[in-house]
Amino acid sequence: MQAPLDPPSAAAKSALRDQVLAARRRRPLADSAHEAAAIAEHLTAWEEVRRAATVAAYVSVGREPGTGVLLDLLVAQGKRVLLPVLLPDLDLDWAAYHGPTSLAPASRGLLEPLSPPLGVSAVAAADVVLVPGLAASRTGERLGRGGGSYDRALARVPVGTPVVVLLHDDEVGLDVPVDAHDRRVTHAVTPSGVVALTE
């Protein structure tokens, strides 16, 4: 029996991932702290985040735009911050963040909260959801790493909740291939500011 073929978008997504990851490796490390601080400043000043009681976020890894400063600013502002916990089936559970000492190393080089897990549906209670990504189109298509974890999680987020991908400036407005299961984001935030993405 012949193995099922990948959708035509699979090769295009893989090529775009390679292109963005290569560009990220070329970015000067010296710029990372400045860019992370700018993203944190834009997000914490944004009205949607200012009004939020609960923010779902994540701990950045590798050359992703940094979230360490942002997470601590959100906690300092009195927000309840939820972070993902990767499950064996690649779905995402969620747990509360209480500062850098509340994190521990996990699989795939991730840092995850030590707090008790709240269940996969906890993300639905967030007033704003921040997600990682590699690129986004002007209409909100998001390119992830390919595991599908966030597409599953975002399916539980109520319509109308702002879903924001953190990117570098040149990663917004790219032509992102899509599949039926892909979930759109509503905004991107870069070192230059918050960008609304519309269908």
Side-chain angles (χ1 to χ4, degrees):
M1 182 173 164
Q2 192 173 15
L5 297 174
D6 287 334
S9 61
K13 283 183 175 181
S14 181
L16 183 55
R17 277 189 198 102
D18 290 346
Q19 174 187 325
V20 173
L21 288 169
R24 283 188 174 183
R25 286 191 293 272
R26 291 192 297 270
R27 292 183 183 278
L29 279 174
D31 294 347
S32 299
H34 170 74
E35 291 174 348
I39 286 173
E41 183 178 341
H42 293 311
L43 271 172
T44 53
W46 188 38
E47 187 61 25
E48 298 285 2
V49 171
R50 286 167 58 103
R51 289 198 315 252
T54 300
V55 177
Y58 64 97
V59 180
S60 56
V61 295
R63 303 302 290 272
E64 292 176 341
T67 60
V69 172
L70 171 64
L71 295 177
D72 291 336
L73 280 176
L74 291 171
V75 171
Q77 290 182 346
K79 312 295 182 191
R80 179 177 182 239
V81 178
L82 303 180
L83 297 180
V85 176
L86 187 65
L87 298 173
D89 65 355
L90 300 186
D91 205 344
L92 297 178
D93 202 333
W94 298 86
Y97 174 71
H98 300 292
T101 58
S102 69
L103 298 174
S107 64
R108 299 176 182 239
L110 302 173
L111 288 173
E112 294 180 347
L114 294 165
S115 308
L118 301 170
V120 295
S121 296
V123 69
D127 302 300
V128 176
V129 179
L130 309 179
V131 299
L134 295 173
S137 74
R138 287 287 172 191
T139 52
E141 286 88 7
R142 168 189 157 271
L143 180 70
R145 296 278 184 161
S149 300
Y150 276 92
D151 290 316
R152 292 165 74 177
L154 293 179
R156 304 179 182 109
V157 174
V159 173
T161 302
V163 178
V164 186
V165 60
L166 278 59
L167 296 171
H168 300 285
D169 290 319
D170 58 358
E171 295 167 353
V172 179
L174 301 183
D175 185 15
V176 175
V178 293
D179 293 310
H181 66 270
D182 291 334
R183 298 285 169 166
R184 279 192 170 100
V185 295
T186 62
H187 296 79
V189 63
T190 74
S192 295
V194 179
V195 181
L197 305 173
T198 55
E199 294 186 33

